[in-house]
Amino acid sequence: MKAEEPQTVYLRDYQPPAFLIDYVDLRFELFEDGARVHSRLTIRRNPEAEPDQRDLVLNGEDLELESLVLDGRPVEGFEADERTLRIEKVADQFLLDVVTWIRPQDNTCLEGLYKSSGMFCTQCEAEGFRRITYFPDRPDVMARYRTRIEADKGAYPILLANGNPVDWGDLDGGRHQVTWEDPFPKPSYLFALVAGDLVEQRDEFVTGSGRTVELSMYVEARNQDKCDHALSSLKKAMRWDEEVYGREYDLDRFMIVAVDDFNMGAMENKGLNIFNSSCVLASPETATDATYEQIESIVAHEYFHNWSGNRVTCRDWFQLSLKEGFTVFRDNQFSADMGSPTVQRIDQVNMLRTAQFAEDAGPMAHPVRPDSYIEIGNFYTLTVYEKGAEVVRMIHTLLGPDLFREGSDLYFARHDGQAVTTDDFVRAMEDASGRDLSQFRLWYGQAGTPQLRVTDSFDAEGRSYTLSVEQSCPPTPEANHKTPFHIPFRVSLLDSQGQPLVLDAEGNTEQVLELTEQSHRFLFTGISERPTPSLLRGFSAPVKLEYPWTRDQLGFLCSHDTDGFNRWDAGQKLAIDVIQSLLNGHDTAVDSRLIDAFRETLADTSLDRAMVARMLTLPSVSYLTELTEEADVAAIHQTRQRLVDELAGALRQDLLECYHRNAPEDPYRFDPEQSAARALRNMVLKLLTATGDDQGRTLATTQFEQAANMTDELEALRALVNSPFEPEREQALTRFYQRWQHDPQVVEQWFAVQSESPWVGDLNRVTQLLEHPAFDWKNPNKIRMVVGVFAGRNLLHFQRSDGAGHRFLGEQVRRLDARNPQMSAALVRPLARWRQYAPHLRDSMRSELQNIMASKDLSRDLYEVVFKSLKQ
Ligand code: 0A1
Ligand code: ZN
């Protein structure tokens, strides 16, 4: 147990900062054995603050204070502890000079200033700046920054910071300096610095108003040929934000840097975005379609933050979703516009329902705007990001695109240069639209996934149809009782031909019903036959939906629904129903209606092939587990596998034809057309190999040897690895590693293919991977791809009945905690869901959490997750 329990921070305790900083003048002297940071702060008392706060309190962690000078005189009356520095009774306005000594070369938590592959880089969100110098490290203190970087010219020819370079030159001793100035006031979490031996790829973008912006991407020389896709994605994003949101870029330069060791995906530092290499580097030979897609959306996400996050930022960290929810919504819209909106929505919802719903049902559940935290690093969650985006999406649905745009224009205009709250965002939407969103605001303050229970009745004589809807929401840690949410519920009624019926006098065939009460009845008149309802179209709200579907209705919707998302979802629901009935013994044979639905989908050449690939994908073991109380993972896995076998057996001929119909095109292009064909063909290959089909084996080995791009090569490898072909799968793994061992991003994929696989990724294998020469405890990507993927995606082996999988995870988490707490707290999460599982699994998961809790010197990050997971 921790000697001293970490403190909880509460939203209700928010107070405006006592002091404001107008100007930050930084000088970094970078050396191999450390860095000296000179900071000059222009400080004044905040007129809005409580007058009794006389002392200046600055944050600082792991700093060696070398000197502290106030208005030219060394400070005498100050106190410093592990986390703060307090200077007593300061004047209303003054200059503070602080010199600190830090050790980037020993910084393993990757927050603040650290070294990755020989280069210096920073990560300051959320509270990393305090590891660089003493500072009021909170987002509502916005200042202008000037940054001078000095370093050895040979080892660090490139010196970057936010804004524009204003001065540069050589210094004594083979050193040089570059000075940068950022004209836009920003919070400290957006500060960035990079120093290294990097090559630059250049491009440019002409804004709508005719300004030329220089675009630069900085990477290690070996990655020089992997920049094109990120740069072209950036230009698309810049254009899109002008066209769809009227947002133009504001500086003369925009820079992207790739670093290998990074805790997250990327960071939106003003004018100097820093990316995890795996989220920005791509070439057809080394990156899959999925990676291309991910890069396009992350580059856009970080770019969009320039307005939603940087120009208008968060007042405090409880408001994190102000920037993240809105920006994820924006990048989702962008991705939908770049490819297929339906497929984009399917992928988004699939992830939300599998992972965010699980978070909302577990011990770490929190509102989109949390009320409290111990460590803010633990709140970069699917709830804040993805559910936050769904909340913005619902506002978009309720207002319609035009009023939503007026709302966002008003929000940006009203709050430019300010640090604001989610409430300010909603108010701008209200003011622009004239709508009352007071009840809607509950989405920000109440946790948990609402549930809709829908029933219907048809009156043939009165030619009317009634939908009855009841909403409820389960208790979550912050509240037992929930007030009804304001829910946009998009519906349509289909006739027996699959045609949507006219629902009102305006001739609409679809309506957004607004749910505000616990229960509603909606009456539709002039309906001459019993319709099939198409409910929650496009997943119009992040809720669980219950309706007594018959399998015939689901089969019908799967082939007829005019809403693409619902069409896919009907197939998923049908598959879930079949699997659950096999599991609980209601059915003994696989319902032929499911096989027929799959056959029909395969034959439907009018459908987008990416959509067909999604429709042929059975719900994952993770999602099925999430839907089951007292889940027995092995039984779920077996039943799902049985369905794969039967489907593949029954559809063998159709699958083979489909495989050959979709032969790859040369040369590789990442475009919606080509990547859809690859997705379908590789999905089909997976079905063919999973059953041990001989022809499947030949196709997979041939594709593996002949593939001309990484998508086809890796998917062939994945198909072999997840098949009963023992020698082939090991041979392919060995071949693949020999081919690609020089490329860290590809090796990361090689790790993941093994650790996610129910066929090869057992505990033995995963333990071996940790010993592999390419594995590196200093590199978060490697840890994620082996340990994270195993515990998160390979439930069959992680949830072994003897608990060895749980013990394995516990061991790795403890091993990592002192070095990188953000990572250890993220990795432990799968254990937190222990209440979801069958008793024998549950007990062993809980006891592993207790083991962790009992270990010495837990980080605050890990403590928070484990403590909350064990709490009743
Ligand atoms: N704001 C970034 C996410 C991010 C958050 C914290 C980090 O610290 C390690 C890094 C990145 C985004 O939304 O992309
Ligand atoms: Zn973000």
Side-chain angles (χ1 to χ4, degrees), residues 268 301 305 324 385:
E268 71 265 23
H301 178 100
H305 268 316
E324 297 305 346
Y385 275 66

Side-chain angles (χ1 to χ4, degrees), residues 27-39:
R27 178 156 82 96
F28 287 83
E29 296 180 83
L30 304 179
F31 305 102
E32 294 313 305
D33 62 344
R36 182 165 292 110
V37 185
H38 306 253
S39 150

Side-chain angles (χ1 to χ4, degrees), residues 123 125 264 266 268 301-302 305 323-324 380 385 822:
Q123 173 52 44
E125 187 176 4
M264 309 259 193
E268 71 265 23
H301 178 100
E302 306 310 330
H305 268 316
K323 73 180 179 82
E324 297 305 346
Y380 286 77
Y385 275 66
Q822 263 181 5

Side-chain angles (χ1 to χ4, degrees), residues 27 46 116 129 158 215 311 316 328 591 658 674 836 847:
R27 178 156 82 96
N46 181 3
S116 169
F129 195 72
I158 301 289
L215 312 179
R311 289 286 288 256
D316 54 72
V328 172
D591 192 328
C658 179
Q674 269 204 17
Q836 175 77 16
S847 85

Side-chain angles (χ1 to χ4, degrees), residues 133-144:
T133 183
Y134 285 100
F135 198 77
D137 191 11
R138 44 188 288 169
D140 55 356
V141 173
M142 297 173 84
R144 292 207 324 278

